[in-house]
Amino acid sequence: MVLAVVAVTNIPLTQFITKTPRLLAARTKAGPRAEKRPSQKLIMGLIGLSSVATYIVAGLDHQFHWSNVPPWLAITGDLLVALGMGMVYWVFKENVFASATVEIATDQKVITTGPYAIVRHLMYASVTVYVIGMPLALASYWGLLASILTVLGLVWRVFDEEGMLASGLPGYREYCASVRWRLVPGAF
């Protein structure tokens, strides 16, 4: 089921990215090697490893029957995966500066509309929903533990990125003062 959810949700996302040249250019260079700052290279390397570990652990969990995830929770995981992908689509519609690397584009401005009026890092919030949903959709509690490492990596990335944006993107400090929440409204 999860493969169908990922496939179906990726279709509109891929179509939108390919029709938005700025976004396409910003999303095609990704991963630790694409990052310019050493801290982000490290963070992205760790996020990549923990993401891969989630799938490996979930596969081992399935093979050796470590978890007994009820069907309703696996379906909830599918829904979280779809929600996370929908949120990513919303990010791209609202923010064509949504680069896969931590950088400031020449003509970049602070986006304060739509979901960015509620949380400052909607992309990372979207990925968090996705990475929590994925191991549940794969019926793996142990995979969920591995995905928590990915979430912790995203939180580290948020803090590191905010320091760079505050020092280099005009208006970002004011934006942080007006939008309190980084990822989860009312919590963080």
Side-chain angles (χ1 to χ4, degrees), residues 68-150:
N68 186 19
V69 176
W72 69 265
L73 193 52
I75 292 169
T76 300
D78 288 325
L79 294 172
L80 288 172
V81 168
L83 176 63
M85 292 300 287
M87 290 169 64
V88 169
Y89 184 77
W90 196 9
V91 168
F92 291 159
K93 292 282 279 185
E94 196 69 33
N95 182 7
V96 295
F97 296 103
S99 176
T101 59
V102 174
E103 62 186 358
I104 298 173
T106 307
D107 57 345
Q108 185 171 342
K109 60 182 174 143
V110 177
I111 307 297
T112 61
T113 57
Y116 288 97
I118 302 166
V119 293
R120 299 194 301 251
H121 298 279
L122 186 65
M123 177 60 83
Y124 302 139
S126 306
V127 173
T128 298
V129 170
Y130 180 92
V131 301
I132 289 171
M134 184 56 74
L136 293 175
L138 294 171
S140 174
Y141 292 131
W142 291 103
L144 184 61
L145 287 176
S147 72
I148 297 298
L149 295 174
T150 303

